[in-house]
Amino acid sequence: MQLQDFEKLFQQKIDTEIKVEPKDWMPDAYRKTLVRQISQHAHSEIVGMLPEGNWISRAPSLKRKAILIAKVQDEAGHGLYLYSACETLGTSREETINDLNSGKAKYSSIFNYPTLTWADMGAIGWLVDGAAILNQVMLCRTSYGPYARAMVRICKEESFHQRQGFDILLTLCKGTDAQKAMCQDAINRWWWPSLMMFGPKDSESTNTDQSMKWKIKRKTNDELRQQFVDMCAEQVKILNMTLPDEHLKWNAQTQHYDFGEIDWSEFWNVVKGNGPCNKERLEARRKAHEDGAWVREAAAAYAEKKTSKQQSQAA
Amino acid sequence: MNDPLIDYTLHLADNTLILAQRNSEWCAHGPVLEQDIAITNISLDILGQARNFYQYAAILLGDDATEDTLAFLRDNREFKNCLLVEQENGDWGKTILRQFIFSNYQYLLYEKLQHSKDEQLAAVAAKALKEVTYHLQWSSEWVIRLGDGTDESHQRMMNAIEELWPYVDELFINADYENELLADNIAVDVPSLKNKWIEKITSIFDEATLQIPQNVFAKTGGKQGVHTEKLGYILAEMQFMQRAYPNSVW
């Protein structure tokens, strides 16, 4: 069979909604796109632990502390599933992590923003996890089997994360004036970066067309972004807060909310590494990895000693 | 008002809260992802134990006491945790050793406490014992792995032993509130746990090619509220929100 025939069969499989599995033939570009996307996703979970981990020691009640610890721990778990999904495509966890630490691999820019107050834990849950869920729900039906299955598990936990975030904000907006102000301030700071999470506009997005054809993605960036705006514009009313966009307005004709223009220069700047915390986040990951080197070496050395002991006993 | 049962319950609560606070500093900074999850999980388990003890202490105290007023609105001198748990994390070896020392103690403590005449304390201990069994197993395995790993890891474990051993004896000295509760079979007589504790340490250390140090001068005082300087900083950070925004619901 010629390469074109393989590609044709592959596309037929995609078109008939048959999942691609690790040992199946796939185009190199499909594999590469997936490795890039899944590893970015994994890194986002791992780097995403940092801004929220930042408030574990200062959580305002024991209950909130316990929930936050559990949440950040879930994210570590999500990172694990996703690194494993990457391994099914032939890329080892070590390679993937090295790409993060060297700055070669990207992760979601949202985690380059600082968490300044407790209300940020609420805003991240509601907005950031909310935006992530829309993307992830779509990915539960992605064409690559292991990725789709990891997403099903992740989505279940993410919806709990979003609820806990909203609950933090709901409690703040029923509280003292200082708490209400803290809540509005967090929404103001996290709203636009959350909209940026869906990526560049469809007209500027280089990967969208092919990813849609391969059914890695099933909705475009702009479609998902609109869905998110429509959802949040309603939910914010429950909080008695506002979204920081003077152009936000219901459009009866389109049956969607119109909204203002994203500051794309900020978007590209943060992507390029000039966000408020890009440097700190990467440093923290590198430091954890470097400080842990002796531990990993010791574990490997011990495991080896044990194996050779067992072998000599068996001999 | 000094009620020994309240003091004792707070002692049990403070031990677990402060260690949970310390362990949670590792979250997102662990040496490998699986172990990041493990130490965070232990933190979550013992935080859960702390909450159970605080909730009980709050009932005993009555008035407006809650688990949160007890955790966030008491000052340094009122905390009754052992000095061991407030020590800095240091490297992974020191954290592991601290956990091993403490889980080994806690396992023996809860094994007895689950038969306490005080039903609440007995119930919390019985429930927590399963968790602690795992913490002890996990930390034992790591002590062995690091002690018998590389030259560097062995040296790091020796350093950790030197740093932490002065805080071991305090675990096995009864405070006044413990002595007062012994006759009614409410508190556990902690000196009676020491032999078994040493047995376990010895067997794990043997496998880890580590030695128990001799003639170490014991540092004590935490159980009576006289702490190392480190606790003040833990509280300053942990209590920040409740101090900065008093009388708020979170």
Side-chain angles (χ1 to χ4, degrees), chain A residues 16-17 23 62 132 143 167 175 183 190 193 216-217 226-227 231 261 276 283 307 314:
Chain A
T16 47
E17 300 289 335
K23 287 182 178 160
L62 295 180
S143 56
D167 186 63
C183 181
W190 289 94
I216 293 175
K217 280 173 82 163
Q226 183 67 57
Q227 202 184 339
M231 188 179 85
E261 190 65 24
E283 280 301 310
T307 323

Side-chain angles (χ1 to χ4, degrees), chain B residues 3-71:
Chain B
D3 177 330
L5 180 58
I6 293 173
D7 284 349
Y8 185 52
T9 307
L10 286 173
H11 157 67
L12 295 168
D14 293 343
N15 261 355
T16 39
L17 175 63
I18 299 301
L19 187 57
Q21 180 79 2
R22 276 300 192 206
N23 281 345
S24 72
E25 292 171 24
W26 277 104
C27 185
H29 304 280
V32 60
L33 205 43
E34 285 83 349
Q35 302 312 323
D36 197 308
I37 294 174
I39 190 80
T40 306
N41 202 32
I42 290 175
S43 179
L44 199 53
D45 283 345
I46 52 184
L47 175 60
Q49 295 168 21
R51 292 185 65 192
N52 285 328
F53 286 128
Y54 283 129
Q55 285 162 9
Y56 181 43
I59 292 169
L60 294 173
L61 276 159
D63 293 329
D64 296 330
T66 66
E67 57 171 349
D68 287 331
T69 62
L70 293 172

Side-chain angles (χ1 to χ4, degrees), chain A residues 265-285:
Chain A
S265 71
E266 176 180 328
F267 173 85
W268 290 113
N269 258 318
V270 182
V271 171
K272 281 174 193 150
N274 299 321
C277 302
N278 294 58
K279 195 165 172 285
E280 287 85 343
R281 300 293 184 241
L282 207 49
E283 280 301 310
R285 285 315 311 157

Side-chain angles (χ1 to χ4, degrees), chain A residues 298-311:
Chain A
Y302 177 75
E304 203 171 313
K305 273 187 211 177
K306 221 177 163 184
T307 323
S308 62
K309 230 183 253 174
Q310 277 164 349
Q311 278 166 350

Side-chain angles (χ1 to χ4, degrees), chain B residues 23-179:
Chain B
N23 281 345
S24 72
E25 292 171 24
W26 277 104
C27 185
H29 304 280
V32 60
L33 205 43
E34 285 83 349
Q35 302 312 323
D36 197 308
I37 294 174
I39 190 80
T40 306
N41 202 32
I42 290 175
S43 179
L44 199 53
D45 283 345
I46 52 184
L47 175 60
Q49 295 168 21
R51 292 185 65 192
N52 285 328
F53 286 128
Y54 283 129
Q55 285 162 9
Y56 181 43
I59 292 169
L60 294 173
L61 276 159
D63 293 329
D64 296 330
T66 66
E67 57 171 349
D68 287 331
T69 62
L70 293 172
F72 296 107
L73 299 176
R74 283 180 308 142
D75 203 353
N76 203 307
R77 298 278 285 107
E78 296 164 272
F79 268 74
K80 292 171 180 57
N81 58 280
C82 300
L83 299 178
L84 175 75
V85 296
E86 68 197 47
Q87 298 312 304
E88 279 157 346
N89 286 347
D91 63 13
W92 183 250
K94 187 173 170 188
T95 295
I96 288 293
L97 183 71
R98 185 183 58 199
Q99 193 62 46
F100 175 56
I101 291 171
F102 188 75
S103 294
N104 187 11
Y105 155 80
Q106 212 185 20
Y107 179 83
L108 299 168
L109 178 77
Y110 286 178
E111 216 179 22
K112 290 261 173 74
L113 191 62
Q114 66 177 337
H115 305 297
S116 165
K117 276 275 158 59
D118 185 288
E119 285 177 14
Q120 281 298 323
L121 294 181
V124 176
K127 181 166 171 270
L129 196 55
K130 288 175 211 141
E131 298 164 358
V132 174
T133 306
Y134 163 73
H135 305 166
L136 178 57
Q137 189 198 335
W138 177 85
S139 56
S140 299
E141 286 167 3
W142 269 105
V143 166
I144 295 167
R145 217 173 268 143
L146 297 178
D148 191 23
T150 59
D151 288 346
E152 180 182 1
S153 69
H154 183 82
Q155 185 57 48
R156 283 178 185 263
M157 288 310 283
M158 302 232 291
N159 297 347
I161 291 170
E162 196 184 315
E163 283 178 46
L164 290 177
W165 226 257
Y167 304 105
V168 164
D169 273 1
E170 185 185 22
L171 300 172
F172 303 103
I173 300 170
N174 282 334
D176 291 346
Y177 45 83
E178 284 165 309
N179 278 324

